[in-house]
Each structure stands twice: as structure tokens, then as C-alpha cells.
Amino acid sequence: MRGTKKIGVFGKVILTSILLVMGLCLIWFTLPLNSENVYNKDPELYINAHNLITKLELNASESIGLVSEKVVEITGAIKEVNNRNNRITIILGTGDREHPSIICDMADDQRDYIKHLSANDTIVVKGIYKGFLKDAIFLNCIVIHE
């Protein structure tokens, strides 16, 4: 068996260090980046649903300091509460129009808070702004006030 050598103590330390660093890098880069705890974050913007949609439609989101990944607190009337694909979503309306709306994908632990909510109830939710296409999207939302 030529070519096989026993690894010395120094070699074992180096190998262990490399494996440890690789493991930490793997954990660091595979953790979800959006795992912010909304409960502990203070909102960076307080706004009602109608004003939010008006600013987004006018492409004036920068004027209110709204950029992706900001925590926002929104007051609005519920248009719909649904539980599709095992995800709870509250849609806040902004009037008689079908779109645009505010889609709040709720945090998993919000089931008990929203099971008694219905259309036209006014609530305050806090969530992470993701963007605006046809509707405004917020993730990890929690109910602040009913």
C-alpha cells in the first residue's frame, strides 16, 4: 500500500477546521434571508390601505420610504380571508375596485387570531413588504389590532 500515509495531529486539526468552516458556511448561506421576526421589529412605515395603494399606483413609493424588505403597519378593511394551499391570507381592499389590493400572507401562528375575522372588519396588520405588481404583497404578517 504505497502512497497512504497516516495523518498526523496537525493534519487532523487542519481537516477538522476546514470541515467546520464549510459546515458553518453551508448553514449561513442556506438559512432563509426573510426569517425576520416581525414581532420584534418596529414598523418603518405606518399607513392605511387606501393611501398605500394610491402611492404605489402613482409610482411614488419612494416618497413614503417604501422599499422591499421594510416592515410596514397597515390599517384597512378586510376584503377576503382565505386558507388556500394551507397558507392563511388576508386581502385588504381599497374601495369598490377588484384590484389593486393588499395581500397579507400571514405568519403560521396567526390562525387563532384570524379565524373569527370576516369581510369588512377593520384591522391593523404588520408585515414585510415584498413588492407591487397587480397587488401589494406583504409576507410574515401578524394582526396588531382588530
Side-chain angles (χ1 to χ4, degrees), residues 36-138:
E36 291 185 43
N37 189 347
V38 176
Y39 292 97
N40 298 330
K41 290 284 214 175
D42 289 330
E44 298 177 52
L45 176 65
Y46 299 84
I47 193 164
N48 70 42
H50 178 73
N51 289 345
L52 176 62
I53 291 298
T54 299
K55 292 291 186 184
L56 291 172
E57 284 183 314
L58 294 173
N59 239 359
S61 59
E62 294 84 21
S63 69
I64 57 174
L66 183 63
V67 294
S68 183
E69 303 299 321
K70 287 223 178 194
V71 176
V72 180
E73 188 172 291
I74 310 158
T75 303
I78 296 175
K79 182 175 175 179
E80 178 185 338
V81 177
N82 67 51
N83 189 10
R84 294 187 188 125
N85 298 325
N86 206 24
R87 295 294 308 167
I88 300 170
T89 305
I90 292 179
I91 300 173
L92 300 177
T94 58
D96 294 335
R97 299 185 303 172
E98 181 67 23
H99 291 286
S101 298
I102 298 170
I103 299 174
C104 300
D105 183 58
M106 304 303 289
D108 292 331
D109 63 348
Q110 294 292 296
R111 290 185 191 279
D112 291 336
Y113 294 109
I114 67 167
K115 64 183 171 186
H116 66 277
L117 297 176
S118 59
N120 298 321
D121 289 347
T122 299
I123 63 169
V124 179
V125 295
K126 180 169 68 167
I128 300 171
Y129 177 67
K130 290 311 235 178
F132 177 75
L133 291 174
K134 188 167 88 170
D135 298 304
I137 309 294
F138 289 84

